[in-house]
Amino acid sequence: MAQRLRLELVADHATVDLISELPLELKVRILECLPTRDAARTALLSTHWNHVWLRLGRLAFDNDFFWGIQKCSGESIVPSKIITCVLLQRVWPVKKFSLNIAALIDPMLKQSDLDQWCLYLSRNGIEELDISLWNPQYKLPFCIVSCPTIKQLRLNSLGFDCPINAPSIFRGVTSLIFLDVVFNRNVNGIVSSIPNLEKLEFIGCEGISNFKFTAPKLESLSIIGFIPAAESRWLSLHLETIKVLCLDHSCMLLMGVLKLLQISPNLRELDIKIIGSQDDDIEVILRLLKDPDSCIVNQDLKMLKTIKINRFRGSTTEMLFVKMLLSKSPKLESVVIQEYYFVHRQYNKVIKSQRELCFPRASPKAQIIVLGNSMGSVCMQLRNVR
């Protein structure tokens, strides 16, 4: 009798849908961990799960999403109609939205579609927005520029028209990333404020100097890609509050970077990727490295604590760059040098010589860590020489 009762209890327990009994908020969180395509499929399970799907506040539309739908349906699809339908069915606000449909060019996305989606999102509490359309013919709608709820914004391959007579833009944004964005000319020269911006990145952008703004809270600035002389002057206007600066060598000459550092009084971390190098005579290199008067930095970099250098080859310019940073950084704690995966044998000898030589350092705490290239990883910590 007791055994029969236990079997009945087990059978009853097996029929209980434990997931469906969870609180609604928890079930929404579960769907947020799934790709949007898989989360949408749960709506087919039951009316109950359809209610959960309609409350999902994180949506990502990419090539995988549409290819999956087309594979299941076996028919051609119109991406713009699907996105519009999903958005208009939302019951709860959409907090995070990602759009990446680079390969879906048939049918072509219309600017009016983008305008409609952005207007809906800007009115429904969007906080994180990522738009990648891979075509500069599309323009960022002004409703996104003026939206007060966005905190993180990432834009890829869009055209950006600087707003006219807008004293404040991206008012709530703390993190702003531009990739391959073309900044069109600011005909009025209006300087707009981005009051809460803390992190700003430009990667492969054009016309950066046309983006005129002030950002009193800006602490992290990253620029990857070539910067003409006019834009390097623009860069110097935004260095006063910067604590973290990331550049690559294609931005400007390394000696030009040193000059910028002198007008960055609050800089704590420098991260630079070196692109390209010259073949220099080893004897000239060693003579310059030993010359105590070869420093062009006029004042100390009083706040600088961390330096990261990637793709290091060991040319004359690179060696002098390191030497001057060490001699003018009294609070420096670490210099991490990542060797380039291909180092010319001439430079390889220079790097080995430098490991034995070491540079004098203004900071007694400063340590240099050399990371070997991927062909043969080596980690070496250099002693201080004062």
Side-chain angles (χ1 to χ4, degrees):
M1 182 68 180
Q3 183 178 3
R4 179 180 178 183
L5 180 60
R6 285 196 298 271
L7 291 175
E8 290 178 353
L9 290 175
V10 171
D12 291 340
H13 182 72
T15 60
V16 175
D17 185 352
L18 297 179
I19 295 181
S20 296
E21 298 298 325
L22 294 174
L24 178 60
E25 291 79 5
L26 185 54
K27 285 182 285 189
V28 173
R29 291 292 300 273
I30 292 174
L31 291 193
E32 288 177 348
C33 296
L34 300 175
T36 301
R37 179 188 62 187
D38 296 335
R41 289 174 177 173
T42 62
L44 303 177
L45 297 177
S46 66
T47 303
H48 172 79
W49 278 101
N50 184 59
H51 292 327
V52 179
W53 154 247
L54 295 179
R55 285 162 174 77
L56 185 63
R58 296 187 179 186
L59 300 173
F61 298 99
D62 54 18
N63 296 331
D64 291 338
F65 176 88
F66 293 106
W67 286 334
I69 292 180
Q70 184 170 352
K71 183 178 179 181
C72 294
S73 64
E75 300 177 359
S76 60
I77 60 175
V78 181
S80 60
K81 291 184 178 179
I82 294 177
I83 296 175
T84 301
C85 180
V86 171
L87 282 177
L88 296 181
Q89 288 179 344
R90 296 300 93 191
V91 176
W92 284 359
V94 179
K95 299 290 186 179
K96 184 175 182 179
F97 183 86
S98 176
L99 177 65
N100 186 340
I101 51 176
L104 299 174
I105 58 175
D106 187 20
M108 196 74 170
L109 176 67
K110 299 179 181 178
Q111 179 68 45
S112 58
D113 295 324
L114 181 61
D115 294 342
Q116 180 185 11
W117 303 333
C118 289
L119 183 61
Y120 174 87
L121 294 169
S122 66
R123 293 176 175 178
N124 287 272
I126 184 67
E127 295 181 356
E128 298 181 36
L129 181 61
D130 185 342
I131 301 178
S132 299
L133 296 180
W134 305 91
N135 192 333
Q137 77 172 23
Y138 297 111
K139 307 296 183 183
L140 181 68
F142 181 74
C143 61
I144 297 301
V145 178
S146 60
C147 178
T149 61
I150 299 179
K151 297 179 180 178
Q152 298 182 28
L153 180 60
R154 183 179 184 271
L155 303 174
N156 192 341
S157 301
L158 287 171
F160 182 82
D161 291 324
C162 298
I164 300 176
N165 299 326
S168 179
I169 60 176
F170 302 122
R171 286 174 289 170
V173 173
T174 59
S175 175
L176 183 57
I177 302 175
F178 296 107
L179 295 91
D180 296 318
V181 170
V182 177
F183 294 90
N184 298 316
R185 185 181 179 187
N186 186 339
V187 293
N188 288 343
I190 299 296
V191 178
S192 300
S193 172
I194 311 180
N196 294 297
L197 185 64
E198 298 174 0
K199 179 181 178 181
L200 176 61
E201 294 185 25
F202 298 96
I203 303 175
C205 296
E206 297 181 17
I208 295 177
S209 59
N210 293 328
F211 185 36
K212 301 182 184 298
F213 70 95
T214 59
K217 296 183 180 180
L218 185 62
E219 294 187 353
S220 177
L221 176 62
S222 177
I223 302 181
I224 306 300
F226 176 72
I227 298 182
E231 296 185 357
S232 65
R233 292 193 293 270
W234 168 94
L235 174 61
S236 64
L237 299 175
H238 300 282
L239 295 176
E240 185 175 355
T241 62
I242 295 299
K243 295 181 180 179
V244 179
L245 179 63
C246 302
L247 299 170
D248 70 19
H249 189 199
S250 63
C251 292
M252 59 189 67
L253 297 176
L254 288 176
M255 295 302 108
V257 174
L258 286 174
K259 294 179 181 179
L260 288 179
L261 296 183
Q262 296 182 84
I263 54 175
S264 307
N266 294 296
L267 188 66
R268 287 166 170 76
E269 179 177 331
L270 173 65
D271 190 337
I272 187 165
K273 178 183 291 185
I274 297 175
I275 306 296
S277 187
Q278 296 180 350
D279 294 328
D280 299 304
D281 185 84
I282 294 181
E283 293 183 1
V284 175
I285 290 174
L286 295 177
R287 177 166 50 83
L288 290 173
L289 293 178
K290 293 177 182 179
D291 183 2
D293 299 322
S294 62
C295 186
I296 64 171
V297 180
N298 297 323
Q299 61 187 30
D300 289 346
L301 308 174
K302 297 180 180 180
M303 304 299 291
L304 189 60
K305 293 185 177 181
T306 304
I307 300 172
K308 299 177 182 178
I309 304 177
N310 296 302
R311 300 168 65 96
F312 190 84
R313 287 178 170 87
S315 68
T316 303
T317 303
E318 294 167 8
M319 290 294 194
L320 291 177
F321 182 74
V322 173
K323 175 182 178 180
M324 298 189 194
L325 289 176
L326 288 172
S327 66
K328 291 294 184 177
S329 305
K331 290 189 177 181
L332 190 63
E333 296 177 358
S334 66
V335 180
V336 180
I337 297 177
Q338 174 73 62
E339 290 185 359
Y340 187 40
Y341 62 87
F342 174 77
V343 180
H344 191 280
R345 64 182 61 183
Q346 177 185 15
Y347 293 148
N348 194 37
K349 294 179 182 178
V350 175
I351 294 174
K352 290 180 179 179
S353 298
Q354 175 57 20
R355 288 172 179 172
E356 297 175 357
L357 176 63
C358 294
F359 288 127
R361 308 167 200 183
S363 171
K365 298 181 180 180
Q367 295 182 339
I368 300 180
I369 300 175
V370 179
L371 302 178
N373 56 52
S374 58
M375 301 299 292
S377 183
V378 176
C379 180
M380 181 173 293
Q381 186 169 320
L382 305 184
R383 299 187 308 273
N384 192 8
V385 176
R386 301 191 65 186

